[in-house]
Amino acid sequence: MTTAQTPLAGIRVLDIGTMLAGPWAAAMLADQGAEVFKIEAPGIGDVMRYVGPTRNGVSALFHSVNRGKRSLALDLKSAEGRDVVQRLAAHTDVLIHNFRPGVAERLGVDYATLAAINPALVYVSVSGFGHSGPMADRPAYDNVIQAFTGVALSQAHAETGEPTQYYQIFADKITAMYAAQAISVALLARQRGAGGQELRLAMVDAVASFMWPDVGGMALFREEGASPGLAVAKHVPLIKCRNGHAQAAPLNDAQFHGWCAAFGVDSSDPDVRTVADRNRHGDKLQALAAAIYANALGMDVDEVVARLEAADVPCAKAHSLDELPAHPQMQANGLFVESEHPVAGRLLEPRSPVRFGGTPTGCGFPSAALGQHSDEILHELGFDANTVAGWREKGVIG
């Protein structure tokens, strides 16, 4: 990627977080051309280095949320480590961390301290439950946040009623996206004269906000008289065919009747003619849906998709994630690109999904080994070789 042409060329980001919510936000900025420094503890580094599938010791998860960053292994609990971070912060545009409330203050890397050094700093603090309140001090991981914010109960199994959770790091990823968007807005505000500022983001706030438009439903209305209407997505199971699965979204009237016709189901009953009719006669709608799902069991999945497409019904075959790169549509989109990692070998990964017409983005350079850039970063900051060697002996750097 040619950084001189990227959207965030010239922006420097200091990532002192761990896990995923903070680091992935920083990785998104790296994909968009920012220069990102990742601070990790000497010895073990970010625990994400040891999670999920690996090759030659390189974690797929760690690489994906830390590509495009230079790694400095630094003990933030040491006086020397604190001095290094403060010197970095003096020449940095953005700092991101996801410490529990109070930790940054103890380490001397809180907003008040760093803003005094660099008033133009955009300082991002991500917490689990919030920066104040009865649960602010609690540790929080993705599955805990999913349970707290209603994700699990909203995903209750249609037949058993048992709550389920997303089998992915859902809450962290949503939080990272909100953080990256907010950082861009804060940088724009700074350019317009607002100066630096602190951004606080709680994972519970990010997930609850993400869920609210369609899952919040009746909770939006604070007065009586609201109608639940048709479910937006909760009761739309996959269509099981004899050799795979498909999905459809027959929202308007033409799509609904095309959906029925594709499976040989008669929808001529006046009680299901329009969406308003179907809203009033949910029992008849459910009976038609049951007939559709029963007929689908004996049909070929590609035939089902072809019929739905012919009727202009929004639909798709259900794919596994590893099938996507070879799909003609994904190849036309050019999302997946190959890269070479010096340790893990050839990689296939998505570029930044947004296409910028005038300031192209891509994939950042390969994720770094722990402390790979420690010496060069410290030398760039003005520390001499003897100082760096002494710090390495003391365990301040790695």
Side-chain angles (χ1 to χ4, degrees), residues 24-355:
W24 197 34
M28 292 181 206
L29 304 179
D31 280 349
Q32 294 170 357
E35 181 182 11
V36 181
F37 301 87
K38 182 176 179 65
I39 306 296
E40 301 177 72
I44 190 169
D46 189 334
V47 71
M48 288 292 100
R49 288 184 177 274
Y50 313 98
V51 176
T54 64
R55 186 172 190 276
N56 295 337
V58 176
S59 159
L61 176 55
F62 178 84
H63 168 80
S64 295
V65 301
N66 288 287
R67 68 189 186 191
K69 303 177 186 179
R70 299 164 74 194
S71 173
L72 167 59
L74 182 69
D75 180 8
L76 292 180
K77 296 179 181 179
S78 68
E80 296 91 341
R82 180 177 60 250
D83 291 344
V84 170
V85 169
Q86 291 182 358
R87 189 177 297 198
L88 274 169
H91 305 285
T92 293
D93 299 283
V94 180
L95 182 143
I96 306 173
H97 75 73
N98 53 333
F99 301 143
R100 275 199 257 178
V103 172
E105 286 77 7
R106 291 197 296 272
L107 295 175
V109 294
D110 54 291
Y111 177 65
T113 299
L114 298 185
I117 299 170
N118 179 5
L121 181 66
V122 173
Y123 183 100
V124 185
S125 173
V126 177
S127 64
F129 290 101
H131 291 73
S132 62
M135 300 177 69
D137 291 332
R138 293 192 186 183
Y141 289 108
D142 193 274
N143 59 334
V144 175
I145 299 297
Q146 286 196 44
F148 181 86
T149 54
V151 175
L153 289 177
S154 74
Q155 296 290 113
H157 191 278
E159 296 177 359
T160 67
E162 285 295 310
T164 59
Q165 299 192 154
Y166 288 107
Y167 301 135
Q168 56 178 292
I169 310 177
F170 173 86
D172 278 80
K173 291 191 289 186
I174 292 298
T175 303
M177 290 179 178
Y178 273 109
Q181 187 271 340
I183 289 166
S184 296
V185 172
L187 289 172
L188 176 61
R190 188 184 71 172
Q191 183 180 348
R192 292 177 171 177
Q197 60 180 300
E198 181 181 16
L199 310 181
R200 289 186 170 187
L201 175 60
M203 291 176 68
V204 293
D205 291 352
V207 176
S209 296
F210 183 82
M211 299 271 288
W212 200 260
D214 57 329
V215 182
M218 294 289 285
L220 175 72
F221 302 107
R222 305 303 290 169
E223 298 180 5
E224 294 182 359
S227 169
L230 290 172
V232 176
K234 187 173 183 180
H235 302 297
V236 189
L238 286 167
I239 302 167
K240 185 177 182 181
C241 304
R242 70 166 182 260
N243 60 342
H245 294 78
Q247 184 56 288
L251 295 182
N252 65 34
D253 294 334
Q255 292 166 354
F256 171 78
H257 294 290
W259 180 53
C260 292
F263 295 93
V265 173
D266 180 14
S267 62
S268 62
D269 187 334
D271 287 344
V272 296
R273 186 173 61 88
T274 69
V275 64
D277 296 325
R278 295 190 293 277
N279 197 21
R280 289 192 297 269
H281 301 282
D283 55 338
K284 292 191 175 183
L285 174 61
Q286 290 178 11
L288 289 177
I292 286 171
Y293 283 95
N295 290 355
L297 291 172
M299 300 175 67
D300 179 88
V301 65
D302 292 322
E303 178 189 352
V304 163
V305 171
R307 289 188 179 191
L308 291 169
E309 287 179 344
D312 202 29
V313 178
C315 65
K317 181 179 179 180
H319 295 98
S320 63
L321 198 60
D322 59 4
E323 291 177 312
L324 285 184
H327 193 282
Q329 182 58 55
M330 301 309 294
Q331 290 189 341
N333 290 353
L335 175 68
F336 293 97
V337 296
E338 285 199 3
S339 62
E340 187 74 26
H341 193 285
V343 178
R346 287 191 303 119
L347 305 178
L348 181 68
E349 54 190 327
R351 57 164 173 77
S352 177
V354 181
R355 289 293 184 101

